[in-house]
């Protein structure tokens, strides 16, 4: 019984539970949309952090100076304007980097083009050799038929 169990475990490990074959991908696929979303979200998040820091800074300054208190609404309004400005600057910076920095470097684009040409040539030559092999088989079969007819 032990040998049978060892054999079945070996079969499971070696045959049934295999890592899938690696396939080449052209890009990031659905992950690219997620990264774009996270980049846009980070602009809002960073602007919100700056807003919190600005408004808490005004509150700390009010406590330290004991000057006439500045209204919290005024501080919040200034902070909100700063948030909008920073958020739009960050969004513009993100769009500019997306526009000016290509998704694939030039040398990589050239390599991809050459690989596609090579694959097309391989496919063509494979079709040609398959056709030649089929013609050769047909020729051998025809010769056999001709010999049979002659006899």
């Amino acid at each position: 019984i032990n040998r049978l169990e060892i054999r079945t475990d070996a079969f499971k490990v070696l045959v049934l539970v295999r890592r899938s074959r690696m396939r080449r991908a052209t890009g990031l696929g659905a992950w690219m949309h997620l990264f774009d979303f996270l980049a846009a979200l980070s602009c809002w998040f960073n602007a919100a952090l700056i807003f919190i820091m600005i408004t808490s800074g005004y509150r700390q300054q009010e406590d330290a100076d004991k000057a006439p208190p500045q209204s919290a609404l005024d501080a919040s309004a200034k902070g909100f304007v700063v948030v909008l400005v920073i958020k739009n600057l960050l969004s513009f910076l993100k769009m500019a980097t997306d526009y000016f920095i290509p998704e694939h470097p030039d040398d990589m684009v050239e390599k991809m083009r050459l690989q596609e040409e090579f694959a097309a040539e391989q496919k063509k030559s494979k079709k040609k050799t398959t056709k030649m092999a089929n013609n050769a088989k047909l020729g051998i079969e025809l010769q056999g038929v001709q010999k049979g007819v002659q006899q």
Side-chain angles (χ1 to χ4, degrees):
I1 294 179
N2 243 354
R3 285 186 181 177
L4 181 63
E5 186 178 346
I6 290 171
R7 284 293 196 188
T8 56
D9 287 345
F11 177 76
K12 281 191 277 186
V13 168
L14 296 174
V15 178
L16 298 179
V17 187
R18 287 189 182 173
R19 183 185 294 184
S20 59
R21 290 194 175 262
M22 185 174 68
R23 286 177 279 162
R24 183 173 290 269
T26 57
L28 295 178
W31 285 98
M32 192 64 194
H33 300 296
L34 179 69
F35 290 141
D36 284 340
F37 172 74
L38 288 175
L41 187 66
S42 69
C43 292
W44 280 101
F45 187 75
N46 289 336
L49 283 175
I50 292 171
F51 171 73
I52 291 170
M53 288 173 50
I54 288 173
T55 55
S56 66
Y58 280 123
R59 289 187 195 120
Q60 288 173 358
Q61 185 181 10
E62 287 173 6
D63 293 341
D65 294 343
K66 297 292 182 194
Q70 187 180 15
S71 72
L73 184 62
D74 189 30
S76 294
K78 286 180 183 177
F80 187 70
V81 168
V82 169
V83 165
L84 287 180
V85 168
I86 290 174
K87 186 263 173 206
N88 288 330
L89 285 174
L90 290 174
S91 295
F92 175 75
L93 183 64
K94 181 197 170 303
M95 288 188 304
T97 55
D98 286 345
Y99 179 77
F100 288 115
I101 299 175
E103 188 172 339
H104 301 291
D106 292 337
D107 59 337
M108 187 177 191
V109 169
E110 181 65 22
K111 285 180 184 178
M112 288 169 36
R113 186 186 63 78
L114 291 174
Q115 284 178 348
E116 289 172 2
E117 287 179 6
F118 181 72
E121 288 177 16
Q122 290 293 326
K123 195 173 184 181
K124 234 186 223 181
S125 66
K126 188 175 181 180
K127 281 183 180 178
K128 190 182 277 186
T129 55
T130 304
K131 190 175 183 180
M132 289 171 52
N134 288 341
N135 288 342
K137 284 180 189 176
L138 183 62
I140 292 170
E141 289 173 6
L142 285 176
Q143 287 175 357
V145 169
Q146 287 174 352
K147 285 181 183 177
V149 170
Q150 289 174 357
Q151 293 175 354

